[in-house]
Amino acid sequence: IAEEERPNETSCDYFNGKWVRDRRGPLYNGTTCGIIKEGQNCISHGRPDIGYLYWRWKPTRCNLPRFKPQSFIQLFKHKHLSFVGDSLARNQLESLLCMLATVSTPNLVYSNGEENKFRRWHFDSHNITVSLYWSPFLVKGIEKSSARLNNELFLDLVDEKWARDLNQMDLMVLSIGHWFLLPAVYYEGGSVLGCHYCPGLNHTEIEFYDMLRKALRTTLKSIIERSGVRGSDGKDGIKVIVTTFPPAHFEGEWDKAGACPKTEPFKEEEKELEGMNADIRKVEVEEVEAAKANYNENFGRVLKLEALDVTKLALMRPDGHPGPYMYPFPFANGAKDRVQNDCVHWCLPGPIDTWNEIFLQIINKWNENEPFVS
Ligand SMILES: *[C@@H]1O[C@H](CO)[C@@H](O)[C@H](O)[C@H]1NC(C)=O
Ligand SMILES: *[C@@H]1O[C@H](CO)[C@@H](O)[C@H](O)[C@H]1NC(C)=O
Ligand SMILES: *[C@@H]1O[C@H](CO)[C@@H](O)[C@H](O)[C@H]1NC(C)=O
Ligand SMILES: *[C@@H]1O[C@H](CO)[C@@H](O)[C@H](O)[C@H]1NC(C)=O
């Protein structure tokens, strides 16, 4: 193996580093992968600059190996992998499927819900199932809509839309965050705890950070308790990855032509992880660590649970969003004053592919200690 491909597992912190230019480019493109949601298929929507495709993440003390679809697919033989969360969970799942599709075909075997919020694919070649569950709070909730001014969250109850299928899952990737910024009323134990940004209602204003913390705590506790039972049946326990909050990059007004107009990553000294992005990430990382400590104490087995801590590396990529190219050819009829921009999701291919490269390294590391293959 070439020197740059060799990971240094013992010392590698994949989450701190910098983006460096890389002429190899992505493993797939919007033409070859048919799974990309329209709004993220930036090249086919006419995004003119493609420099954002030619960067790789360089952890400070080691190298991140390029994603190997063949290795991933071998590791997940006969397994069920599920992505649960909001549209960023979907974004990450589509990136993974596009990379895997270069070596094996994912067949869509189930699809349900508005905008296909629940989907399932099967790789016949290796008997791998990959599922997507829409659950933007992970706990039970009612989403804000045109008819409803605020979200309603039930912080002590998990969302059974995914939880009822837990016993079929081998590995879960959880990804939430952005929906917690919206106005919400919070319930716990059947009564109102308070609300976030709902001046019309007569409830105590509470910050959403603690509510995100409660939602994650309830979620991880439920997964552990329900799969702990499964572990004692002699079957493998469940493995869980929590993708941390990927920051958005709106500059100025969201409906101006280029609301995230940058075409290159930030340089190291240009951007600090701070404020809300840092605080959301902190809650997520702390809850993952707390769940691990709690589980290891009480169950006497090692829980495979890790934060996929992408916040910093995502923060440095203001150039990776669709911006106005969420819609096809937004400037086809000349410059416009007001266009909608997406500075939250990520173009595919794009920086989000790197999250799955690190995801594979986490699995590799787990697998060294305790083989994951059936
Ligand atoms: C791994 O990294 C550590 C710390 O940077 C270094 O001392 C060690 O030589 C490295 N090992 C390999 C195999 O590169
Ligand atoms: C996408 O990939 C295919 C196959 O490798 C190639 O023929 C095509 O030119 C690529 N399209 C773009 C836009 O890069
Ligand atoms: C495919 O994998 C599932 C577990 O995800 C397993 O229950 C089933 O027996 C496997 N099927 C075959 C044909 O090996
Ligand atoms: C708001 O709540 C407080 C405390 O529960 C109550 O005393 C007050 O009457 C309420 N006001 C309105 C307008 O409902």
Side-chain angles (χ1 to χ4, degrees), residues 3 6-12 61-62:
E3 182 62 32
R6 193 185 305 146
N8 189 336
E9 295 287 356
T10 47
S11 64
C12 192
R61 268 183 260 289
C62 57

Side-chain angles (χ1 to χ4, degrees), residues 21 49 51 69 94 216 218 237 244 254 258 261 288 315-316 320 330 340 359:
R21 283 191 190 277
D49 62 303
E94 290 183 352
L216 272 171
T218 299
T244 65
W254 67 276
V288 165
L315 175 74
M316 304 310 275
Q340 203 180 334
F359 173 25

Side-chain angles (χ1 to χ4, degrees), residues 119-152:
R119 277 179 288 170
R120 185 167 287 183
W121 291 262
H122 190 254
F123 290 84
D124 296 346
S125 65
H126 293 73
N127 186 27
I128 298 166
T129 303
V130 181
S131 306
L132 175 65
Y133 292 86
W134 173 259
S135 183
F137 317 114
L138 296 177
V139 290
K140 185 179 166 191
I142 306 172
E143 290 148 38
K144 178 180 178 299
S145 66
S146 48
R148 181 180 295 274
L149 288 173
N150 38 257
N151 294 322
E152 289 188 31

Side-chain angles (χ1 to χ4, degrees), residues 44-59:
S44 75
H45 280 181
R47 178 169 172 172
D49 62 303
I50 55 162
Y52 70 98
L53 298 173
Y54 297 89
W55 297 89
R56 78 183 155 88
W57 177 248
K58 169 72 181 78

Side-chain angles (χ1 to χ4, degrees), residues 227-269:
S227 66
V229 172
R230 188 156 65 125
S232 64
D233 292 345
K235 287 169 76 181
D236 285 350
I238 201 163
K239 297 169 176 63
V240 184
I241 296 217
V242 177
T243 302
T244 65
F245 188 72
H249 291 94
F250 287 99
E251 288 177 36
E253 289 166 64
W254 67 276
D255 60 350
K256 287 288 178 276
C260 37
K262 296 206 162 49
T263 54
E264 286 193 4
F266 285 123
K267 296 187 176 60
E268 262 177 300
E269 61 283 3

